[in-house]
Amino acid sequence: MEDFGFKEMQQIQMQLQERYKDKWRPLSPQLGTEQLLWHIDRGTQQCVSGETSTEYEPVVRKTPEKEKR
């Protein structure tokens, strides 16, 4: 595993794309750009509004009651 690098990650990504081709959108430079810009925009919105989110819970606005817990 010490030689694990970018080429190995690309190979795994291609295998995953093939495996889930019926569920995932195909990769393209345009899609990558759109997704990156979406994540930047979403992160900026969260910072400005004080929202937090995790993978397992919906985005919620912080309230004093939640901060005390």
Side-chain angles (χ1 to χ4, degrees), residues 12-42:
I12 291 170
Q13 180 62 38
M14 286 189 283
Q15 291 170 353
L16 288 170
Q17 283 295 136
E18 182 61 30
R19 183 177 185 181
Y20 296 106
K21 65 183 172 187
D22 57 327
K23 296 179 182 182
W24 293 358
R25 291 172 38 185
L27 289 179
S28 70
Q30 180 64 32
L31 178 62
T33 301
E34 290 171 6
Q35 289 179 338
L36 179 61
L37 291 174
W38 183 89
H39 283 287
I40 292 170
D41 181 55
R42 183 69 186 131

Side-chain angles (χ1 to χ4, degrees), residues 8 11 18 20 24 29 34 41 47-48 54 66:
E8 288 80 15
Q11 185 178 23
E18 182 61 30
Y20 296 106
W24 293 358
E34 290 171 6
D41 181 55
C47 289
V48 169
T54 66
K66 291 183 181 181

Side-chain angles (χ1 to χ4, degrees), residues 1-15:
M1 191 59 112
E2 45 190 71
D3 292 333
F4 187 77
F6 188 74
K7 288 185 180 192
E8 288 80 15
M9 286 189 284
Q10 280 184 317
Q11 185 178 23
I12 291 170
Q13 180 62 38
M14 286 189 283
Q15 291 170 353

